Amino acid sequence: MNLNRLAWRNLWRRKRRTMITGFSVAFGVMLAVTFTGAGDYFYTRMIDAGASMGMGHVTIEAVDYHRAPSLKKRLQHVESLREKALQLPQVSDVMTRITGQAMFASASKSVGGMFIAVDPAQENSENNLFIRSIIEGSMLSSPEGRNIIVGSKLAQKLHLRMGKKVVYTTTDVHGEIVSAIARVSGIFETGISEVDGAMAMLPIHSVQKVLGYQVDEATLLGIILKDQRFSKSMRDKLAAMPLYSKAEVLSWQQSQPELAGMIAVDKSSNYISQLLIGLLVAAGILNTMLMSVLERTREFGVMMAVGMAPGALFRLIMLESFWLAVIGLIAGIIITIPWYIYMANTGIDLSGAYGDDFNFAGVLLDPVMKIRLFQESIVAILLGLFTLALAAGAYPAWRAGRIPPVESLKTI
Amino acid sequence: MKKTQPVSIIVISLVTLLSMLPLTAQADEPTADKTRTSKILNIVDDLWRGKSSHAVTTMRVKTAHYTRTMRMEGWSKGKEKTLFRILEPLREKGTVTLKSGTHIFTYLPKTDRTIRLTSGMMMGAWMGSHLTNDDLVKEARLEEDYDAAITFEGRRDGKELIEFTLIPKVDAAVVWGKVLLTIFADTYTPVTQRYYDEDMQLARTFTFTDMKMLGGRERPAVFRVVPADKPDEFTEFTYESLEFNLKLSDRLFSKASLTKR
Amino acid sequence: MNIISLASRNVRRNWQRSLVTTLAMAFASTIIIFYGALMEGMVRGSEHNAVAMSSGDIQIHAKDYRDDPDLYKRIIEPDLLTHKIRDAGFRAAARIYGFGLMATDSSSSGVQLRGLDLQHEQEVSEIDQHLMSGTWLRNDDSHGVVIGKKLARQLGVALGDELTFIGQTADGYMANDIFKVRGILKAVSTAIDSAGVFMPEESLRELLTLPEGAHEIVVIRDDPTVDLKVATQEVAALAPAYEVLNWQQLMPVIARFLETANVQTLIMMIFTYIAVASVVLNAMLMSVFERIHEFGVMKAIGVRPWQLVRLIYAETILQTCIASLFSLGAGWLIASHYQKHGMDMSALAGDISFAGIAMDPIWYAYITPEVLITPILFLFILAALAVIYPAIKVALIRPLDAIHYQ
């Protein structure tokens, strides 16, 4: 008799057991999808938010700027560098930016901070977190002019309102101290006090004039990718291009090591959780198969007595585990799809858990827990659970194969 | 283009204010009023002009938390170079500050170190006074920063005065909303200078008093800064001596000379 | 015959099957104990991380100091206040702050000077354990400083290098002195990394001519189970003239982030419990249904349905007890190992920070009574529920059907 068919039939001899075990595998699929999907979604959001704070997923900048920032270090011919990068597949956007330290002063006070000079034509709420979080006024309309968008805490410290003057002082390309005036045309609030209290956005051509930069000079190009997962390969690709040989190319992991660290730790804790759940699923399968082997000791004895080789018995049990896993995975896919669709689109709103004072801008943190699964994660989950199921079946199978026939007939 | 030539580090702070006078801008517009405004402001400005200078000054600072006095000696050459050293108190004696262009270096005898001030320090208080480091450096550029007009002429508080209203040009890196300068109508010496913020609230007041023979003519010997939000506080400079057009070596204003003193 | 001894005889007779069932339960609840301890550790760890390096549970400032950190906005007689706070069952340390410029020959940077009461600071923060290189401050080394890592990079200084400070004293004179870099911190927070210069309190008082007062008092609950809000009120009552805020008020973004993480942890925990339930349910159902044949025989020889249900429950409870004891022991062993040693994530991650606060890369488990007891209770309830159906079925089944039951 075909071992495959025998295994399949054996499974359905105990419908309830098979179904419960299948359910636990299926539930394992759902859990793994939820855990991994929550991670994939959350990390992508964090990485994209981080990228939209200035540096992009991949950054092209002057050599050594990252290690010791100075406005003297700058990229030249940024327009051609930008054009070239924009043509690459996977690149969704490239922004020319100048970032540096500055002193901001109003008639009442002065505060040290950071500026990011941008070309408004290249910026939008997708690639620029500050545009997303403007709470008053509007985004810069021109790369020229004397407008400035300031963080809410900075505005508060300097007693600034819309339309008020700010003098920013910084060090130009020759190391000279330079100042220029700007008027507040917008105020943003990201919810991160370090950013809101120190950051300002300026029009790029005006800053170039103040710093003594040429029109095609900037400190960095921030590249936004269609998918953050390609940042490392894109970095390597760009770094290998002769056009960028005089620049330094960094992936977000290099430009924002702290964020990369946080995600790495969270990921590993997520893996630990999933490993534990995988062990539970495996324990369920092991339990089922072991029980089934134990109760069929007599049956196996008979089978071996009529000439079935121990190897075939081992294969039979392995096949049973295999089909059990397949049933479980298919059931898992069936129950997970509606759950996934719900979680990917609607999600669980956690804001109820915060009480009534939830008024956070929501730029960094999302009150709704959603999931999103990468293709490779789907494959990893299915393969992982399948392997676990087979591994769990191995011991009972080995056990079934080594039962001596005479003794097995004696039990019960 | 006429140039302001600050005469000492203390005068720099004076000149800071005076050199805001928009001399060049006025010359471009040949209306009678503008010419007159420009002419008077030139004369006011001339009060502090010289190829080089040497001065001895006392600074008194009173704040809610402390009162202090400092005596110092300063030299200047051209409009870019200024050097001064502290004579008293003992705690700070020998501290030398060199301003060369937009750079400020400070030599600290206590630690035998020279430090270059960075852009981040420019808005910091200068020597615990009510002036910032920025007030000391800005002067060379400020002449281009304002549009001036005579807004009052006549008797006020029993004195014949002329009042100028200085409005910052749109692109000028100036935090103020406007500056009001009053001078004596007869001698063209400054009386007060008031700084207003953008809401036209008074921010600080400079007053010039105590006319004395200094450097060969009558000049106000006392200059006082009062912040508007703390009317009980002030910084006051008093000239002991002031000389113009001395022969000063360029080496005096080099970084190397800081440590020699 | 005594039902307990009958049950235990049954369990022993079917020892292989009993063992498999018991182990499955024990394994499942061990995992959930360990997982619970890990999650508890993560929640506590991230809270701890948020407060341990610098902020403490509660901070006291002069009113307006946080908005406008002015040298003169001080807490007067901080010693008196810290004594009172310590008497009320807290740990407390005073700090003083100053601002100015730290320079080397080639570069300079604006800094925040942080003067620490070294003896008491140890009780409220772990920053002294957080050095990347070098050594912590010592009272007998008045000119030794510990600085933030980004500041060190910006100034281009290494251990043993000199830094010149220039600033202003409280009485309006020039503050100026030379310090030696004794230690460089790991990432702590944006502010400390890029501008923090730590020195002994006395050194800073001398440098700034600041004979008395403090800018900040940091308070830590001696007993971390005391509610933070209650503790904040208690401290606020002791310092009525000052602003008293707890870390959740001081760092709302971090607090929100941790709340979100906690809710997500709770959701994950529920899922894990469901996974455990499916394992236990399956094991219990099987252990009864596999033996329907046997129960049929018992019924045939005259055992009454009620007795059968009692027998099944007795067996179940016996197995669950063994599983509980096993999982308590194993779960506690594993969890306490990771409570002591933790899992070092730094190999994966290096420096980790969120919203400007550095996180500790070592993940510790944390055992609370709840972490141990909840899974056990859950196990008993689940086992009891799981056998209701098969027990009733067995009780009602006709012996002949049972014997032929497949």
Side-chain angles (χ1 to χ4, degrees), chain C residues 199-243:
Chain C
M199 60 176 72
E201 184 188 336
E202 277 316 307
S203 308
L204 187 53
R205 285 199 190 283
E206 201 178 309
L207 180 68
L208 299 181
T209 329
L210 199 69
E212 61 203 15
H215 295 113
E216 183 172 283
I217 291 176
V218 175
V219 180
I220 290 266
R221 289 166 291 176
D222 231 349
D223 173 5
T225 56
V226 173
D227 184 71
L228 185 62
K229 287 194 180 110
V230 174
T232 311
Q233 282 164 4
E234 274 178 47
V235 174
L238 294 171
Y242 302 108
E243 179 193 73

Side-chain angles (χ1 to χ4, degrees), chain A residues 238-253:
Chain A
L238 287 169
M241 288 168 71
L243 183 64
Y244 304 109
S245 58
K246 278 183 195 148
E248 202 155 333
V249 188
L250 302 170
S251 66
W252 68 267
Q253 287 95 338

Side-chain angles (χ1 to χ4, degrees), chain B residues 33-138:
Chain B
D33 269 1
K34 293 279 179 189
T35 319
R36 177 156 176 268
T37 309
S38 176
K39 211 172 142 192
I40 299 175
L41 288 175
N42 271 330
I43 297 168
V44 178
D45 192 48
D46 275 341
L47 197 58
W48 311 103
R49 186 167 301 147
K51 282 195 178 65
S52 62
S53 69
H54 171 247
V56 177
T57 321
T58 303
M59 177 178 85
R60 256 181 356 116
V61 181
K62 181 176 176 296
T63 74
H65 306 287
Y66 55 84
T67 304
R68 64 164 300 192
T69 305
M70 189 175 89
R71 213 169 136 254
M72 57 199 148
E73 183 177 18
W75 296 264
S76 80
K77 187 172 181 181
K79 74 169 197 171
E80 294 294 331
K81 290 175 180 156
T82 323
L83 179 111
F84 75 92
R85 55 192 283 250
I86 295 175
L87 306 172
E88 283 169 42
L90 207 60
R91 251 169 103 167
E92 291 170 335
K93 187 177 169 167
T95 303
V96 187
T97 299
L98 168 69
K99 183 188 99 79
S100 177
T102 59
H103 299 291
I104 296 184
F105 298 94
T106 301
Y107 170 73
L108 305 151
K110 183 181 173 191
T111 52
D112 191 26
R113 292 287 185 285
T114 302
I115 289 186
R116 200 192 126 185
L117 251 56
T118 53
S119 56
M121 289 295 283
M122 295 317 286
M123 301 296 170
W126 175 73
M127 288 280 161
S129 73
H130 292 91
L131 292 171
T132 65
N133 290 312
D134 194 55
D135 285 326
L136 304 193
V137 205
K138 274 266 172 85

Side-chain angles (χ1 to χ4, degrees), chain B residues 213-226:
Chain B
M213 280 300 285
L214 278 171
R217 61 158 287 188
E218 286 269 307
R219 297 168 211 267
V222 175
F223 158 56
R224 178 190 268 245
V225 181
V226 180

